[in-house]
Structure formats: C-alpha cells, structure tokens
Amino acid sequence: MTDRLTSNALGTQTLQGLRVLVMEDRSLIAAKVVEALNEVGCIPVGPAATLQAGLEFAQRSDICIDVAVLDIDLRGSLVYPLAEMLRLRGVPLLFLTGYGTNAIPTTWSQVVRVEKPFESTTFIEALISIVSGEADQVSCTVPIGRPAVEGMEQGWDIIRHSRNMVMEARLLRAPHGTDKER
C-alpha cells in the first residue's frame, strides 16, 4: 500500500490510485471529502451514509478498500462494528468526526482523528500519515486549523449575542410590578 505513495513536482505527497472508503452521513461533508480525495488521485469508495451500507461495502468481494475514512456517528449508529471489521482485514482507519478525544473508547484511541470542521490539507496530511505508517500515538489527533477555530469562536459569539437579545425581549414583554397594578 505504501508503494502507491508518490511525490509530485511540488514536493507534496499524493495518494495516486488509493481506494478510500468514505463513511459520512452529511452530504456536504461527504462531497468535500470526495473532492479532496479526487484532487490527490484517490479513488473514493462510496460515500455511504449508514452503518449498514458500510458493512455491505466491506463484505463485498468485488471492492478492494485500501484505507477508510469514517465518521463515528452515522445517523445515530456508531461506526465501531465496521471499524472492527476493517481493522481485522488490516485496513488503516481515519476518524473524521466532531467527537472529542474523551468521547472515543480507549479501544479506538490510537486511530488518527481529524476534527470537523476540517481543512482539506489537514485531512490529506492525516491520510498520508496513516498510509505511510508515520502516524503514532502522539499524533493521533490532528487539530483543526486556526481559521476554523476562529470561525467557531465567532459562531459562539453570535449564538451568545442572539441568546442575550432573546432574553432581553422576554424581559421587555414580561409584566412589571407597576403594570400589574394598573
């Protein structure tokens, strides 16, 4: 599998011809993953949005899977049975998830994890690390980039501001002691 790892003229590593099972239940995220894989020459298998569909892909003899990109929560079903099946077949795994490190069982703590939201370059770097065998316990979590964190912070600020406005509106509409006496 690592013999498929090549370098292009820019010195960046690509994953030409690697067949990647994509398990993601959100279509926009799945499209972003597939686009990133296509850009580096991978062959996406799927995407599939349910655990059952993933299990069916993994059991098919006509489909070869070199590596798997798995969202942990697929429409309410945890992906671990599929991950176990793939691990027994020797398929390297990458979790692409919103789950934090503490939410992942220790059995799966060694799997490289890319947090959502993610940047395509971060995702591809993590994929390269597991295919090339460079991933280890220390680098098992690939942090999201700073722009994404800043975007999340801005989002939370908007939510807090909106909540404050709703609370103020409720207070203004609530009957006051002097209004009750009239």
Side-chain angles (χ1 to χ4, degrees), residues 54-121:
L55 291 169
E56 289 171 9
F57 268 126
Q59 292 171 346
R60 289 179 53 179
S61 60
D62 62 327
I63 296 177
C64 182
I65 299 169
D66 296 315
V67 65
V69 176
L70 310 174
D71 183 10
I72 292 177
D73 184 351
L74 298 168
R75 297 185 180 167
S77 297
L78 296 178
V79 78
Y80 301 126
L82 173 59
E84 184 62 33
M85 179 184 290
L86 294 169
R87 185 192 313 200
L88 290 173
R89 290 178 41 196
V91 175
L93 307 173
L94 182 148
F95 288 141
L96 181 63
T97 185
Y99 279 28
T101 305
N102 295 336
I104 299 173
T106 55
T107 308
W108 301 103
S109 64
Q110 299 299 312
V111 174
V112 172
R113 181 178 59 85
V114 176
E115 295 179 4
K116 295 178 193 174
F118 66 98
E119 295 180 31
S120 295
T121 54

Side-chain angles (χ1 to χ4, degrees), residues 5-178:
L5 202 58
T6 61
S7 290
N8 65 18
L10 299 174
T12 58
Q13 296 181 332
T14 60
L15 306 160
Q16 257 339 99
L18 198 68
R19 293 171 299 266
V20 182
L21 175 62
V22 179
M23 298 299 304
E24 175 58 58
D25 59 349
R26 295 181 182 244
S27 58
L28 290 176
I29 296 172
K32 182 177 179 178
V33 169
V34 168
E35 180 181 3
L37 293 172
N38 284 330
E39 285 179 7
V40 295
C42 290
I43 302 166
V45 177
T50 65
L51 176 61
Q52 185 59 39
L55 291 169
E56 289 171 9
F57 268 126
Q59 292 171 346
R60 289 179 53 179
S61 60
D62 62 327
I63 296 177
C64 182
I65 299 169
D66 296 315
V67 65
V69 176
L70 310 174
D71 183 10
I72 292 177
D73 184 351
L74 298 168
R75 297 185 180 167
S77 297
L78 296 178
V79 78
Y80 301 126
L82 173 59
E84 184 62 33
M85 179 184 290
L86 294 169
R87 185 192 313 200
L88 290 173
R89 290 178 41 196
V91 175
L93 307 173
L94 182 148
F95 288 141
L96 181 63
T97 185
Y99 279 28
T101 305
N102 295 336
I104 299 173
T106 55
T107 308
W108 301 103
S109 64
Q110 299 299 312
V111 174
V112 172
R113 181 178 59 85
V114 176
E115 295 179 4
K116 295 178 193 174
F118 66 98
E119 295 180 31
S120 295
T121 54
T122 304
F123 165 67
I124 294 302
E125 288 169 5
L127 192 60
I128 289 168
S129 74
I130 64 170
V131 171
S132 65
E134 295 174 4
D136 58 17
Q137 183 176 0
V138 176
S139 65
C140 73
T141 299
V142 179
I144 58 179
R146 189 70 201 151
V149 171
E150 289 169 2
M152 290 172 49
E153 289 170 354
Q154 290 171 350
W156 280 112
D157 286 341
I158 291 168
I159 290 169
R160 280 190 290 275
H161 180 70
S162 299
R163 184 193 65 206
N164 291 343
M165 289 176 54
V166 168
M167 294 300 288
E168 288 173 11
R170 285 183 184 163
L171 288 173
L172 290 173
R173 282 185 276 165
H176 296 288
T178 56

